[in-house]
Amino acid sequence: MKVLVTGGAGYIGSQTVRELVNLNHEVIVLDSLELGHAQLAEAAGASRLVEGNTADAALLDNLFGQEQIEAVIHFAAYKNAGESVEKPGKYFTNNVAGTQSLLDAMLRHNIKHFIFSSSCAIFGTPQNVPVSETNNFFNPESPYGESKLMVEKVLKWYDLAHGLKSISLRYFNAAGASLDGKLGEDWTVTLNLVPLVMKAALGKAPSVKIFGADYPTPDGTCIRDYIHVVDLAVAHVRALEYLQEFNQSNQYNLGTGHGSSVRQVIDTTKRISGSDFKVEEVTRRPGDPVAIWADSSKAERELKWKARYDLDTIIRTAYEWHKNHPNGY
Ligand SMILES: NC(=O)c1ccc[n+]([C@@H]2O[C@H](COP(=O)([O-])OP(=O)(O)OC[C@H]3O[C@@H](n4cnc5c(N)ncnc54)[C@H](O)[C@@H]3O)[C@@H](O)[C@H]2O)c1
């Protein structure tokens, strides 16, 4: 089928383009290229890259008029939770209004299947871990997380009013690179932990900072569920198949079911890279939940999906990727 992937020149989007192309889907990428790279979309096998913004209604009308697109997978968004606390408007405009513009264009062209990049940030610091989909206590601690929750709510009402069927995939912390070393994350534009640790391991940064070593966790550092980017990409393909088969909206938490602390990520990187880089403990950052990991048994049951890769694979693939791409992409 012909699929539009917004943000398909970015980190997770490009891996998903590749999975779709491997299964003979035709993929068109729409990306502003503000944070993505045309080469990533091309390397992933997209048949066409349209440079543009999801807020551009005329561009979307043209695109949907030209191409017989049957489903949209929507990655395009800003993702820096810390920045969103300082600049909430930037996040609500791009992540919420930009998504609504896309949904409205889809309705004008009768496209009714949508897969949304949601996030564990909608939960904030959960009352219980692991977090399953029965957890209806949403407490985003940043405008970024709030923007994802707002879109999930918009999707509920667009289904009721217009029959637009969507799957929201709430990723936990995406990390790692493709196993063949061809697709990975651009560390010049990301503030995620794994690329920052890689910078230190490869001598591109003087040290790695731990933002808060006094959290109520076993080693004092925050705990996250790091999930390999290829596992996430596969989940999107399964979600697309689910929409085709059941034509029903749904939400899934995607993680490995295990939490790793910031210190564990650092120690694993030191072991795999053999580099004993400097680690600095500094004050907490705003918008950082303490500990969170996923219960992904619903995705396992209904999407027939389960994470295959562990933290060692994440760190090994990330390390190889960054070593070979020292200037980002
Ligand atoms: N990386 C993670 O750990 C993580 C976790 C949970 C959710 N997510 C979500 O997954 C999605 C993809 O994340 P990523 O890590 O690949 O980020 P990324 O920054 O690598 O990719 C996002 C892409 O979207 C593009 N973009 C942004 N706004 C746009 C717009 N309005 N119109 C067109 N293009 C636009 C950027 O140029 C970029 O190429 C995002 O929605 C993010 O919030 C990511």
Side-chain angles (χ1 to χ4, degrees):
M1 73 192 284
K2 199 183 271 195
V3 183
L4 177 70
V5 176
T6 75
Y11 173 46
I12 310 171
S14 59
Q15 300 274 356
T16 303
V17 170
R18 179 192 251 190
E19 288 299 323
L20 291 164
V21 170
N22 284 345
L23 290 170
N24 295 322
H25 294 292
E26 184 180 347
V27 181
I28 296 166
V29 166
L30 171 67
D31 198 298
S32 62
L33 299 183
E34 183 185 344
L35 297 167
H37 302 274
Q39 304 96 306
L40 261 182
E42 282 157 21
S47 67
R48 181 176 169 198
L49 168 64
V50 178
E51 184 176 349
N53 200 296
T54 58
D56 187 339
L59 179 143
L60 292 172
D61 279 335
N62 252 328
L63 181 58
F64 289 145
Q66 284 166 8
E67 307 273 3
Q68 298 305 304
I69 288 165
E70 291 163 74
V72 175
I73 305 184
H74 180 46
F75 292 95
Y78 295 140
K79 64 172 179 181
N80 182 343
E83 182 191 57
S84 77
V85 177
E86 309 290 325
K87 298 177 183 168
K90 176 176 172 180
Y91 281 72
F92 293 126
T93 301
N94 196 42
N95 296 6
V96 183
T99 302
Q100 200 188 331
S101 151
L102 175 63
L103 294 172
D104 288 339
M106 286 174 63
L107 292 180
R108 288 195 295 278
H109 295 267
N110 204 28
I111 303 167
K112 296 282 179 78
H113 283 172
F114 187 74
I115 296 173
F116 173 57
S117 294
S118 188
S119 167
C120 65
I122 63 173
F123 299 113
T125 299
Q127 288 165 329
N128 297 302
V129 281
V131 190
S132 79
E133 294 79 358
T134 56
N135 177 339
N136 285 321
F137 182 73
F138 301 112
N139 186 27
E141 288 173 37
S142 67
Y144 166 70
E146 193 80 64
S147 74
K148 295 291 178 182
L149 184 57
M150 286 164 82
V151 171
E152 285 205 17
K153 290 180 178 173
V154 169
L155 289 172
K156 181 185 107 181
W157 294 108
Y158 271 51
D159 184 356
L160 278 170
H162 308 298
L164 190 145
K165 303 295 174 189
S166 67
I167 304 279
S168 293
L169 297 176
R170 299 152 173 176
Y171 326 147
F172 282 57
N173 287 62
S178 68
L179 304 185
D180 66 359
K182 294 210 168 111
L183 304 175
E185 192 167 13
D186 181 350
W187 64 8
T188 62
V189 293
T190 180
L191 290 178
N192 288 343
L193 177 68
V194 172
L196 292 179
V197 176
M198 294 303 147
K199 269 189 187 167
L202 287 159
K204 297 281 174 189
S207 65
V208 65
K209 290 191 174 68
I210 297 182
F211 293 97
D214 57 350
Y215 283 101
T217 60
D219 67 17
T221 66
C222 287
I223 295 177
R224 298 284 180 276
D225 187 340
Y226 295 93
I227 171 142
H228 197 279
V229 65
V230 171
D231 279 328
L232 284 181
V234 171
H236 289 78
V237 174
R238 299 282 158 78
L240 195 62
E241 290 163 355
Y242 177 98
L243 272 182
Q244 281 179 288
E245 190 175 349
F246 299 107
N247 195 37
Q248 190 177 300
S249 294
N250 223 322
Q251 302 80 30
Y252 296 96
N253 296 352
L254 300 182
T256 62
H258 306 286
S260 304
S261 71
V262 172
R263 229 185 270 285
Q264 282 172 315
V265 170
I266 290 172
D267 290 347
T268 306
T269 306
K270 285 192 172 185
R271 173 168 53 78
I272 286 175
S273 67
S275 159
D276 189 19
F277 49 89
K278 189 172 162 207
V279 178
E280 281 179 85
E281 290 176 9
V282 296
T283 51
R284 296 178 180 192
R285 275 186 311 201
D288 262 346
V290 180
I292 182 164
W293 61 94
D295 172 352
S296 292
S297 53
K298 182 180 173 192
E300 195 176 337
R301 272 192 320 275
E302 297 182 7
L303 299 181
K304 315 290 175 229
W305 174 91
K306 191 172 171 25
R308 284 179 297 171
Y309 301 113
D310 60 7
L311 186 63
D312 269 28
T313 311
I314 286 173
I315 298 299
R316 190 172 43 74
T317 54
Y319 182 71
E320 285 304 315
W321 161 262
H322 291 296
K323 194 170 70 179
N324 295 321
H325 297 84
N327 301 315
Y329 194 78

